[in-house]
Amino acid sequence: MDLERARADVLAIFRAALRRVDPEALVRDALVLDGDAIVVRGTRYPLAPDARLIIVAIGKAAVGMARGATAALGARIDRGIAVTKALPGEELPRSVGPIAVVAGSHPVPDQASVAAGRRVLETVAGLRPDDLVLALISGGGSALVEAPAEGVTLEDIARTTDLLLRAGADIGTLNAVRRPLSRIKGGRLAAAISPARVVNLIVSDVLGNPLPVIASGPTIPADPGLDPVALARGLGAWDHLPGPVRRALTHAPRQSTGSGDNVVETIILADAAAAAQAAAEGARERGYYAAVLGTRFAGEAREFARFWAELARHARTGGGPVRPPVCLIGAGEMTVTVRGDGRGGRNTEMALAAALAIDGLPGVVIASLATDGDDGLSGAAGGMVDGVTAARIRDAGLDPVALLAANDSARALAAAGGLIQTGSTGTNVNDLYLALLPG
């Protein structure tokens, strides 16, 4: 198999998916300034001459979403703030028009996240009923913006986040536990904005788009049916949580203090399904038959890798309903239960496990890619492997099985030339899985 051609195909398909979920274009196209009103996807929101229009953008797509809002609404914006993540070596703009840009920390909040939370609350302080806040929310906001609840410290929240991630918590569990620890999450930002109106525009990084889970729902009331204590116990993490966190979770009301009555509309602009469909279009342009097999895949990365590899093997050997050239496409979000101290992320772990599953199988390329370009601690978007990747790792003097056991997937893929590095993409709609079977 021509690996250079396969890499070019993977990157072209990935770029097609990213274009569909470009946050700047999505927000720009959703907004229209029409005289004395803001039109959001066809719904008019009148603004009195002295009414203020505030932009609050939170998440990995915040800068792009802020640019889209500025392009559409221009000088009518009174003020705003965009909080996002800066990758190593990346320099964020100081502002986007009247919207200040600040950096928080992800995936574990730090003092920058607390400073960002303070700035967000200051931005929305003192609003009136005729003011309007456009909340531009995307994945990553849970860690990027923080304001610890009374009795809880930032160190408590950071320790809790790290424990839950290492225990393999999915995003729903992680955010359900973190919500009661914050003065922003679980609708509390909407309460701070009140009595002003709120319109939410969301780029979703959560499978199925449950609104309280995306960025921990700063402008969406929490789901009262979730018990954070039971969730933490189910992961075996409860006894290791800091004492103040256990007390806060035990005594926290199931629903946030904010009713969300001032939230007048919520629109999902893009999600994993949109990226997968765009990837299929990109694959067809490269000459593949494209099949989207699912957009809500979840579970342990290495276990999913074996499943995905088996689907590819089935199609390659003629046992499936499709024949090469074909591109199998999926989207979702895996978890990694950390057992070692290696360097990697859920996508590089999936790719390394897939390399072992297709070891020696010709005519199959598998890729696992984070749409934000930032896969855990890997320093890459993810990885691409084929039937000789495991052999290349062994030729480099490394043991791919041992590296997988140590969660050292980035090191393994780097040795085989299998890392896919894109830098920050400015968006975030989960992960994309590809299996390419050229003709």
Side-chain angles (χ1 to χ4, degrees):
M1 180 185 298
D2 184 347
L3 279 183
E4 288 307 310
R5 168 64 191 275
R7 180 179 288 269
D9 287 347
V10 166
L11 290 174
I13 294 166
F14 191 42
R15 284 193 293 266
L18 296 177
R19 284 194 297 271
R20 178 69 60 84
V21 296
D22 175 67
E24 180 174 351
L26 290 167
V27 173
R28 183 187 65 238
D29 294 345
L31 301 174
V32 175
L33 181 60
D34 184 18
D36 60 351
I38 303 298
V39 181
V40 184
R41 284 275 182 94
T43 301
R44 290 177 62 86
Y45 295 97
L47 284 177
D50 62 343
R52 290 166 291 188
L53 176 62
I54 312 297
I55 305 296
V56 176
I58 297 173
K60 294 182 180 180
V63 171
M65 296 181 85
R67 287 186 175 127
T70 301
L73 305 177
R76 187 59 183 85
I77 299 171
D78 181 79
R79 65 178 183 270
I81 185 167
V83 184
T84 193
K85 177 180 181 178
L87 295 182
E90 180 184 13
E91 185 173 349
L92 296 175
R94 290 175 175 261
S95 63
V96 175
I99 304 168
V101 176
V102 299
S105 176
H106 183 277
V108 179
D110 65 7
Q111 288 296 338
S113 303
V114 173
R118 188 181 309 115
R119 291 278 301 274
V120 167
L121 292 173
E122 290 170 353
T123 299
V124 302
L127 299 181
R128 303 184 299 263
D130 58 347
D131 296 331
L132 179 65
V133 174
L134 293 181
L136 312 179
I137 307 298
S138 57
S142 296
L144 291 167
V145 175
E146 190 53 272
E150 185 176 354
V152 178
T153 68
L154 172 64
E155 290 72 22
D156 292 332
I157 296 173
R159 173 65 176 158
T160 298
T161 300
D162 185 62
L163 282 169
L164 294 172
L165 288 172
R166 288 182 172 274
D170 61 24
I171 190 65
T173 298
L174 183 64
N175 288 353
V177 174
R178 292 193 295 191
R179 273 194 294 267
L181 310 179
S182 172
R183 292 185 290 116
I184 287 180
K185 298 174 172 59
R188 293 175 177 86
L189 178 57
I193 291 170
S194 184
R197 300 163 291 167
V198 181
V199 173
N200 294 315
L201 298 178
I202 296 176
V203 174
S204 173
D205 73 329
V206 182
L207 306 183
N209 305 330
L211 298 179
V213 180
I214 303 166
S216 292
T219 51
I220 302 292
D223 181 353
L226 294 175
D227 181 355
V229 174
L231 293 172
R233 288 188 185 279
L235 286 171
W238 176 256
D239 292 338
H240 304 286
L241 296 179
V245 169
R246 294 199 301 271
R247 288 191 290 273
L249 297 181
T250 300
H251 299 294
R254 287 288 186 87
Q255 191 154 344
S256 67
T257 55
S259 66
D261 291 344
N262 60 324
V263 179
V264 294
E265 186 174 13
T266 296
I267 297 171
I268 300 290
L269 296 176
D271 59 8
Q277 292 299 331
E281 295 171 11
R284 293 184 192 108
E285 291 176 358
R286 302 290 290 190
Y288 293 89
Y289 173 83
V292 177
L293 303 184
T295 58
R296 298 179 64 171
F297 289 116
E300 276 283 332
R302 61 182 65 183
E303 294 174 6
F304 175 74
R306 289 190 284 270
F307 163 76
W308 196 248
E310 188 56 34
L311 290 178
R313 181 187 298 274
H314 193 59
R316 177 79 266 175
T317 56
V322 293
R323 299 288 188 273
V326 64
C327 177
L328 308 180
I329 299 167
E333 183 176 29
M334 297 299 125
T335 56
V336 173
T337 301
V338 178
R339 301 174 177 87
D341 57 359
R343 182 174 60 87
R346 60 184 185 249
N347 288 282
T348 55
E349 177 134 338
M350 185 278 199
L352 177 57
L356 291 169
I358 61 171
D359 192 11
L361 177 66
V364 173
V365 170
I366 289 176
S368 184
L369 303 163
T371 57
D372 62 359
D374 182 24
D375 179 41
L377 301 176
S378 70
M384 182 189 88
V385 300
D386 65 2
V388 295
T389 296
R392 292 193 198 96
I393 296 170
R394 290 188 287 265
D395 289 345
L398 302 173
D399 180 350
V401 175
L403 291 173
L404 180 63
N407 302 115
D408 208 2
S409 52
R411 181 184 176 200
L413 294 182
L419 287 178
I420 299 292
Q421 295 172 305
T422 63
S424 175
T425 65
T427 193
N428 185 25
V429 291
N430 300 112
D431 302 328
L432 190 68
Y433 313 117
L434 305 174
L436 274 62
L437 289 73

